[in-house]
Amino acid sequence: NSRGRAARNITVRNINYRGTQAPRSVIKGWDSEHTIENITLENIRFNGKRITEKNIDEYFEINQFVKGLKVGR
């Protein structure tokens, strides 16, 4: 099992999922040495409902090893 150091500076935009919702999506770092950093989610929708900072926990499982997560238009 080889792990990279981190995932950094990733933007995901203009995703529109339609259908029955599967379990929450996962954004997780492995540990403090293997983090996820500076992730931007822009215009992500589940069945027409836009993901915001207020409702992100309904759709994504995020742990303490994720730093700099932004949710935008």
Side-chain angles (χ1 to χ4, degrees), residues 18-58:
R18 294 182 191 174
T20 57
Q21 184 174 340
R24 293 184 299 166
S25 297
V26 176
I27 303 174
K28 289 185 172 184
W30 189 263
D31 58 28
S32 62
E33 298 293 319
H34 303 86
T35 57
I36 306 294
E37 300 175 16
N38 302 323
I39 306 301
T40 302
L41 304 177
E42 294 180 356
N43 192 31
I44 309 299
R45 297 175 182 269
F46 283 86
N47 292 320
K49 186 173 181 182
R50 188 169 53 87
I51 303 306
T52 66
E53 289 183 6
K54 290 184 179 182
N55 70 9
I56 193 168
D57 290 338
E58 295 175 35

Side-chain angles (χ1 to χ4, degrees), residues 6-12 35-40 67-68 70:
R8 294 186 182 109
N9 305 321
I10 297 170
T11 299
V12 178
T35 57
I36 306 294
E37 300 175 16
N38 302 323
I39 306 301
T40 302
K67 310 293 181 202
K70 298 174 190 157

